[in-house]
Amino acid sequence: MVVVLKKDATEEQKKKVIDTITSYGLEYKIMPGIENTVIAMIGDERGKPLKSLETLAGVEEVFLVEKPYKLVSREAHPEYNKNEGTMVIDVCGVKVGGPKPIIIAGPCAVESLEQTLKIAHAIKEAGADMLRGGAYKPRTSPYDFQGLGEEGLKILDEARKQTGLPIVTEVMESSKVDIVAQYADVLQIGARNMQNFNLLEAVGKQSKPVLLKRGGANTVTEWLCAAEYIAMNGNNNIILCERGVKGSSVQGSDRNPPDFGGMYNAKKHTYLPILFDPSHSTGDRDMILPASLSGIAYGANGLIIEIVRAGEEACNVKCDYKQSIEPDKLKQIVRLVNSEKQLLDS
Ligand code: PEP
Ligand code: MN
């Protein structure tokens, strides 16, 4: 069950609600919202008169959330339900989940200072809102480039200083959360780590926003449960990201077909903003434009796209060249996506 407090509930009224919950032997989690604070009850709720909490001063509503996730569910945040609204997460002034689709762009991996700066300036010029780039890379083959580690984080820091773009970068293990959080503005949890529960708890315990990718073989429910682990640990600044699921329709190109229906449905069940990744979900630079437009049409709040330098050759890129576009193409996508969104909203 969750308790939704009235907008003007006092601290004293909130304390009374909490005391009553704990007197039933239950634990609780508090989720402050812009309008209403929500308190989720945790534990065996059977046989307890929880509905009677509604009679306490300061309580707006008490209701059952039957889903295995509560804090991130849409039901628990009634203030966002009008028109399937989404929580807006402010990343250094960039509003994720607001009326404008946000564009995160950058190399798959940070490979050098020169490469990262060149791309950072070019994507800024193309209209991107944030810079992505992996310093710690989850690679399928152990023989592939594994990332520059902390040196990569320092390069991203320099790129932020020069361009003002906030940084999104992946953290792969709990022991690295502190160091990545020192440099990053958004901590990315990659598809392979979506159910690494220790890591989810660790990013939940720090305050930087988290970009949680959907695992390539995970259901929407599993994805939202993963987000719940982060929220339960105190961090509700969670940005979801659909990046395609296992399957193949075109051999050699269609790596992780985008699950647009899954993303659309996820939006019905959570109030968190959701981005779409056309790079990892197509594996093919020629599909980035149509996939981006489709993602926005299906309700994505923005895109995360991989970029290479103009004229770059495959042999000089260590990671995901085939699915990376050049800055000029990004510029075209930013323009098209913004006009598409205006048409959709009109
Ligand atoms: C990435 O964004 O660099 C990445 C590795 O993506 P995913 O976790 O979706 O495979
Ligand atoms: Mn990549």
Side-chain angles (χ1 to χ4, degrees):
M1 302 276 267
V2 297
V3 181
V4 179
L5 296 183
K6 288 193 171 135
K7 277 180 213 144
D8 55 1
T10 63
E11 277 306 309
E12 205 180 315
Q13 291 167 338
K14 185 163 113 187
K15 186 173 177 307
K16 175 82 181 140
V17 172
I18 290 168
D19 289 346
T20 315
I21 293 172
T22 49
S23 75
Y24 292 137
L26 296 172
E27 289 182 44
Y28 64 91
K29 282 282 165 189
I30 302 179
M31 289 275 282
I34 349 175
E35 288 187 14
N36 306 71
T37 292
V38 175
I39 305 178
M41 292 176 248
I42 301 157
D44 187 356
E45 296 175 347
R46 285 171 301 180
K48 293 170 184 157
L50 301 180
K51 196 69 185 155
S52 66
L53 285 164
E54 241 165 23
T55 58
L56 294 179
V59 173
E60 170 109 15
E61 213 183 343
V62 178
F63 57 89
L64 181 65
V65 179
E66 278 186 279
K67 300 195 170 96
Y69 50 88
K70 296 184 205 290
L71 299 173
V72 304
S73 72
R74 190 167 276 292
E75 293 104 298
H77 300 273
E79 71 266 35
Y80 295 101
N81 288 345
K82 299 159 223 142
N83 307 320
E84 303 214 334
T86 299
M87 168 164 67
V88 177
I89 298 178
D90 189 318
V91 183
C92 313
V94 177
K95 306 268 192 289
V96 184
K100 191 179 160 295
I102 66 115
I103 310 288
I104 304 173
C108 174
V110 174
E111 297 182 17
S112 68
L113 179 65
E114 194 273 326
Q115 167 241 22
T116 306
L117 291 181
K118 187 106 196 225
I119 292 179
H121 285 286
I123 63 152
K124 165 113 185 177
E125 208 273 313
D129 302 290
M130 293 192 224
L131 173 67
R132 64 145 289 147
Y136 298 94
K137 291 302 304 173
R139 301 308 302 279
T140 303
S141 165
Y143 299 108
D144 286 338
F145 176 60
Q146 304 287 310
L148 296 178
E150 191 174 353
E151 188 196 335
L153 296 175
K154 290 184 176 151
I155 292 174
L156 288 168
D157 189 34
E158 180 58 29
R160 172 177 43 210
K161 284 195 185 112
Q162 292 196 14
T163 60
L165 294 171
I167 301 298
V168 182
T169 194
E170 179 159 355
V171 56
M172 286 170 56
E173 50 186 310
S174 315
S175 62
K176 292 283 193 305
V177 167
D178 285 350
I179 177 91
V180 175
Q182 248 177 58
Y183 293 93
D185 298 299
V186 177
L187 276 69
Q188 176 172 325
I189 302 289
R192 293 157 187 82
N193 267 319
M194 191 205 84
Q195 284 186 313
N196 180 338
F197 300 116
N198 292 334
L199 181 58
L200 297 175
E201 281 168 11
V203 294
K205 287 189 175 121
Q206 59 79 56
S207 59
K208 294 269 171 85
V210 176
L211 186 140
L212 177 65
K213 288 195 153 193
R214 177 177 171 191
N218 288 112
T219 63
V220 168
T221 301
E222 288 165 344
W223 188 20
L224 298 183
C225 281
E228 188 82 2
Y229 270 91
I230 301 172
M232 268 195 85
N233 282 280
N235 188 353
N236 57 356
N237 288 321
I238 306 163
I239 304 162
L240 298 171
C241 177
E242 162 63 34
R243 48 75 80 200
V245 290
K246 288 282 172 221
S248 175
S249 51
V250 183
Q251 192 191 356
S253 66
D254 211 355
R255 296 204 323 180
N256 302 289
D259 182 12
F260 290 126
M263 182 174 72
Y264 185 88
N265 277 316
K267 283 196 73 102
K268 289 194 178 310
H269 295 292
T270 183
Y271 79 120
L272 299 175
I274 308 188
L275 303 183
F276 172 62
D277 176 342
S279 299
H280 293 89
S281 63
T282 63
D284 183 342
R285 51 167 57 189
D286 293 338
M287 289 196 234
I288 304 295
L289 192 155
S292 296
L293 296 177
S294 308
I296 297 297
Y298 273 94
N301 298 105
L303 304 167
I304 177 164
I305 305 179
E306 290 189 335
I307 308 290
V308 286
R309 285 169 284 190
E312 190 59 275
E313 288 177 39
C315 57
N316 295 323
V317 176
K318 296 193 171 87
C319 206
D320 285 350
Y321 175 84
K322 271 177 35 196
Q323 64 192 39
S324 301
I325 54 171
E326 297 192 0
D328 271 359
K329 193 77 183 169
L330 179 70
K331 199 172 193 166
Q332 187 191 8
I333 292 175
V334 171
R335 213 179 46 240
L336 286 173
V337 152
N338 282 317
S339 10
E340 178 189 19
K341 183 68 170 52
Q342 277 174 12
L343 281 173
L344 287 167
D345 289 346
S346 65

